[in-house]
Amino acid sequence: MTTHNATLSAADIELDQDGHLCDHMIWTPVIAQQLADTLEINLSDEHLEILQQVRAFFDKFNHAPATRPLIKWLQKTLPELDISNQKLQQLFNTGLVARHVNRLAGLPKPPNCL
C-alpha cells in the first residue's frame, strides 16, 4: 500500500518539458526548494511569501502571471517587501522573473513566456 502523504522525492515529481510541475496541487515549500536548487537559490521566508502570493494570483485569476501583472500584484499584496523587477531578478537569480517565479511556485509557464 502506498501513502500519498509521504514526502515526495525529486524523482517522484512529474515535470513538463519546461521544468514546471505537471500538477500544481502537489506543491509544497519542500518541492519549491527542490526546484530552486536548479537555480542555485536557497529559499528564504521572503522567497516563500512571494511564491505563496504568486499562487494566490493563480487561484484568483486562474492563470500564471506575466512579469508586469506579477510585480503589480506583489506590490499590492506584499507592500512591505518593496518589490521591483530588479529585486525579483536578484532574489531569484534570473532575468526571466515571471518564468522562474511561476516555476518555483509550482505553476505553469505564463502563456507569453519563451
Side-chain angles (χ1 to χ4, degrees), residues 12 16 19-21 27 36 38 43 48-49 68 73 80 82 85 96-98 106 110:
D12 297 329
D16 68 13
H20 293 254
L21 286 182
W27 184 89
T38 65
L43 295 178
L48 291 170
E49 278 184 78
R68 278 197 200 106
W73 176 259
E80 69 282 3
D82 195 26
N85 194 24
L96 303 169
V97 171

Side-chain angles (χ1 to χ4, degrees), residues 84-99:
S84 67
N85 194 24
Q86 291 82 358
K87 180 168 183 176
L88 289 176
Q89 286 178 3
Q90 289 169 342
L91 272 173
F92 290 94
N93 199 21
T94 179
L96 303 169
V97 171
R99 165 93 186 265

Side-chain angles (χ1 to χ4, degrees), residues 4 8 12-16 20-28 31 35 55 58 103 105-108:
H4 291 288
L8 291 169
D12 297 329
I13 300 168
E14 198 179 340
L15 302 176
D16 68 13
H20 293 254
L21 286 182
C22 289
D23 177 5
H24 71 89
M25 299 303 285
I26 68 166
W27 184 89
T28 65
I31 290 173
L35 295 170
R55 292 182 62 79
F58 184 85
R103 189 169 71 85
L107 301 173

Side-chain angles (χ1 to χ4, degrees), residues 38-105:
T38 65
L39 295 172
E40 298 180 5
I41 299 171
N42 202 0
L43 295 178
S44 65
D45 289 344
E46 187 176 26
H47 287 102
L48 291 170
E49 278 184 78
I50 291 167
L51 296 178
Q52 294 284 9
Q53 280 305 321
V54 174
R55 292 182 62 79
F57 180 104
F58 184 85
D59 289 343
K60 182 169 183 173
F61 300 108
N62 211 24
H63 66 88
T67 304
R68 278 197 200 106
L70 168 68
I71 290 168
K72 282 187 175 161
W73 176 259
L74 293 174
Q75 286 171 339
K76 187 175 104 182
T77 58
L78 297 170
E80 69 282 3
L81 296 185
D82 195 26
I83 296 294
S84 67
N85 194 24
Q86 291 82 358
K87 180 168 183 176
L88 289 176
Q89 286 178 3
Q90 289 169 342
L91 272 173
F92 290 94
N93 199 21
T94 179
L96 303 169
V97 171
R99 165 93 186 265
H100 289 292
V101 170
N102 281 295
R103 189 169 71 85
L104 298 186

